Amino acid sequence: MVGLAAVTTTFESGPILCGFRLCTGGYCPGCGGSRAAAALLGGDLGGAWQHHPWIVLIAAQIVALATARALVGRLPLPLQPVLYGNLVVGVGIWIVRLATGAIPAPF
């Protein structure tokens, strides 16, 4: 059912693939994440930041952690505080984006 809705429901330039959006009609905290990742992989840092700043921050963390692991041979910190920090930042970005109109409110 969700797969059929994803294929038959369109928004702007393609089908809606987000389960959160299909179920609630609102935008999820990760809205724009796929477009941001594609822009980042294409070298467009500004475009990636505009689509979703969280993806740029997570990519920077991944690069930093991979570099630290390559140089030191292990991760310098436990990952749990980083994961919780990312959760807080992600929800904060979502709230700011909803409040500023960067993504429309679901109501």
Side-chain angles (χ1 to χ4, degrees):
M1 182 77 160
V2 172
L4 179 62
V7 172
T8 59
T9 307
T10 59
F11 176 75
E12 293 177 358
S13 63
I16 298 171
L17 302 176
C18 175
F20 185 90
R21 175 107 187 268
L22 287 170
C23 291
T24 67
Y27 294 89
C28 76
C31 185
S34 297
R35 293 182 301 257
L40 197 57
L41 290 172
D44 183 9
L45 184 62
W49 186 267
Q50 185 178 13
H51 285 299
H52 203 305
W54 197 23
I55 301 302
V56 177
L57 298 173
I58 294 209
Q61 290 175 21
I62 290 169
V63 169
L65 289 171
T67 302
R69 180 152 187 190
L71 294 175
V72 179
R74 62 179 178 80
L75 293 176
L77 324 161
L79 288 181
Q80 192 170 7
V82 174
L83 295 174
Y84 286 135
N86 280 325
L87 178 65
V88 169
V89 169
V91 171
I93 288 172
W94 184 37
I95 291 168
V96 168
R97 292 175 79 204
L98 284 170
T100 62
I103 54 174
F107 34 83

